[in-house]
Amino acid sequence: MPLMLPLRTAVAVVLVASAGSTLADDAPPASAAVGDWQRSIDAIERDGGALDHRLSEHFLSMGLAYRANGDLDAAIDAFRQALHVNRINKGLHHLVHVPIVDLLIEAYANQGDWQAVDQQHRFRHWIHKREAAQNSDRFVDSAITYAAWQSRAHYLDTGTPTLTKLREALAALETALNAVTATGDETDPRLGQILNAEAQMRLNLATYVSFTDEDIVTGGQRSGDDLGDILERRNLIIESFIRGKQALERVVVLTARQHQDVEHALALANLADWELAFDRPQSARENYRRAYQKLKAAGLSRADLEREFGNPRPMKSFSLARREPEADDAAVPPNAYVKARFRVTKHGKVRAVEVIEASPPDNSRIVREARATLGNTRFRPSIGDDGPFEDTATIRYLFPDVSI
């Protein structure tokens, strides 16, 4: 069964809406509900004025009704009205605004308006920086959410320079890490999450500065092969390698201390991915071998071992979560796609790419783009008792539409 890997699409951060109860099973149809909420809003504005605090809840509920009706533009307008009334009555930066901001993030993401998504994420993080204690769970969770968004968005056009996004995400993770470690509780599950996210951001940073023409100091366009710029890039890549590896090694130690056998094995595999990404195949080989042996010793079935390590997978993120079963081809949405078969060496490099299916079949551009992406993607190789080995992979690249 082939893997499915989205291409040039971002994952929307979907968060729970606090006002979801307005769409209960016994609620009226969405189209009727919109009219009901509009009449309630009109009545409140007549009695209390355009800034009456009660309007926020009503605009929010009307926005949810519009969203259920499939009218995202109207939903966004209503959510923005709810936020405006809230800010007038509660203050510009109040934690009570966060559920509405979350709804705006989801709605803008569904529209593919990444600049608006980024603006709302920045506002959300700014609220927590101003209003939540930096050692509080609420602030830590906000910093993790903000860094996760920037990790997904670093290649999207959000109106913010890529290096700025990556550095801001690392700063947020550092603050969260300081808050969590200050408690002295090494069993806090967020500790591993933060360390893995830090490694991911440092890999993104090292990869980006290796290929970009952006001046890494000023953010402008690089002019020529300036020696100072070359040294700055080299130092940044070295620092990213060292600090990212330290973060992943710390997760290895934490999981070992807590006798989390499966998570410890997966942490070792993450460390091996890191070493392979930075062209240290011998160290990677040993850690892949150790990871496989430890998962085997933890009592995983043959099928579970096969799911975790039996097929090459693109290196997308560092996580202690088990792999989910692969989706069936029948569940693939009718997007444009390219299905390719290729060899993955024990060093995670792609060889002998063969396109076996494409839709639409006459769109040569998506085939070229899939080939180019494969050539630039490092894979976790298949792993067995003796470590990584060369194997065949089949992958399906999904495209957002056929016009690319």
Side-chain angles (χ1 to χ4, degrees):
M1 206 176 294
L3 303 171
M4 291 182 292
L5 182 67
L7 189 63
R8 300 195 316 167
T9 57
V11 180
V13 179
V14 181
L15 297 155
V16 177
S18 65
S21 59
T22 60
L23 297 179
D25 292 338
D26 58 350
S31 55
V34 167
D36 291 342
W37 288 118
Q38 185 61 63
R39 284 186 287 275
S40 296
I41 289 169
D42 292 341
I44 292 173
E45 287 180 338
R46 283 195 303 271
D47 296 339
L51 300 177
D52 190 293
H53 69 92
R54 295 172 294 171
L55 288 170
S56 178
E57 181 180 347
H58 285 66
F59 275 120
L60 177 59
S61 298
M62 186 166 71
L64 290 169
Y66 274 126
R67 186 184 68 173
N69 215 27
D71 191 344
L72 279 180
D73 288 332
I76 287 171
D77 287 342
F79 293 150
R80 286 172 59 88
Q81 288 271 34
L83 182 60
H84 175 69
V85 173
N86 245 13
R87 295 184 76 184
I88 293 295
N89 286 279
K90 300 291 186 180
L92 296 178
H93 308 99
H94 197 289
L95 290 169
V96 75
H97 306 330
V98 172
I100 304 175
V101 174
D102 289 342
L103 287 169
L104 283 168
I105 288 172
E106 179 185 353
Y108 283 129
N110 286 334
Q111 288 188 326
D113 188 346
W114 305 120
Q115 291 195 18
V117 173
D118 190 56
Q119 289 171 359
Q120 295 301 322
H121 267 293
R122 289 175 177 279
F123 179 48
R124 186 184 194 279
H125 187 50
W126 178 247
I127 290 174
H128 285 86
K129 286 174 70 174
R130 285 180 56 96
E131 301 297 325
Q134 291 202 359
N135 61 348
S136 67
D137 290 346
R138 201 161 185 175
F139 176 80
V140 171
D141 292 340
S142 166
I144 293 172
T145 298
Y146 181 69
W149 157 246
Q150 295 299 359
S151 178
R152 297 184 180 106
H154 77 274
Y155 58 89
L156 294 172
D157 180 12
T158 63
T160 302
T162 298
L163 284 174
T164 299
K165 289 187 281 190
L166 292 171
R167 284 167 168 154
E168 287 181 351
L170 284 169
L173 288 171
E174 183 178 4
T175 306
L177 182 62
N178 290 338
V180 172
T181 54
T183 66
D185 181 11
E186 290 191 343
T187 64
D188 190 326
R190 295 175 303 178
L191 186 54
Q193 183 182 359
I194 294 168
L195 291 167
N196 282 330
E198 180 189 349
Q200 184 64 52
M201 295 307 299
R202 294 198 181 280
L203 179 58
N204 292 344
L205 182 60
T207 302
Y208 183 74
V209 300
S210 297
F211 298 105
T212 183
D213 288 329
E214 183 179 339
D215 187 300
I216 63 173
V217 176
T218 66
Q221 194 72 12
R222 181 173 58 171
S223 57
D225 293 329
D226 177 75
L227 180 59
D229 179 78
I230 293 172
L231 291 174
E232 188 72 26
R233 288 171 190 273
R234 179 177 178 274
N235 291 336
L236 190 53
I237 292 170
I238 291 172
E239 180 190 14
S240 295
F241 169 74
I242 293 171
R243 297 189 64 177
K245 184 179 180 182
Q246 288 173 341
L248 294 175
E249 287 175 334
R250 189 171 175 186
V251 179
V252 170
V253 171
L254 288 171
T255 51
R257 284 178 181 170
Q258 296 167 34
H259 305 290
Q260 298 173 323
D261 296 337
V262 172
E263 289 79 4
H264 179 60
L266 297 177
L268 281 169
N270 287 337
L271 181 58
D273 286 347
W274 181 267
E275 291 162 336
L276 202 59
F278 283 89
D279 292 320
R280 285 158 172 79
Q282 296 306 316
S283 298
R285 181 181 183 278
E286 178 58 22
N287 279 321
Y288 280 139
R289 187 192 64 79
R290 291 173 61 201
Y292 185 89
Q293 294 294 344
K294 286 185 179 295
L295 270 189
K296 194 174 180 180
L300 266 67
S301 68
R302 190 180 188 89
D304 285 338
L305 284 169
E306 181 71 16
R307 181 187 304 166
E308 291 296 335
F309 291 148
N311 298 297
R313 295 290 182 95
M315 296 181 190
K316 294 188 291 184
S317 63
F318 300 109
S319 171
L320 298 182
R322 296 276 302 279
R323 283 179 172 172
E324 297 293 331
E326 295 170 13
D328 193 332
D329 277 358
V332 176
N335 298 66
Y337 67 86
V338 171
K339 187 176 179 180
R341 181 167 52 233
F342 47 92
R343 302 290 293 176
V344 175
T345 72
K346 64 181 181 180
H347 296 158
K349 295 183 178 180
V350 172
R351 297 286 186 268
V353 177
E354 175 191 3
V355 174
I356 57 179
E357 188 180 333
S359 178
D362 58 348
N363 193 327
S364 60
R365 185 176 178 184
I366 62 174
V367 172
R368 288 197 306 271
E369 186 161 342
R371 284 184 177 276
T373 302
L374 275 172
N376 293 323
T377 301
R378 185 64 69 93
F379 280 71
R380 174 187 287 181
S382 295
I383 307 167
D385 282 305
D386 297 325
F389 59 90
E390 185 168 317
D391 200 1
T392 300
T394 302
I395 199 166
R396 183 187 292 264
Y397 280 98
L398 301 181
F399 294 81
D401 56 58
V402 298
S403 64
I404 58 174

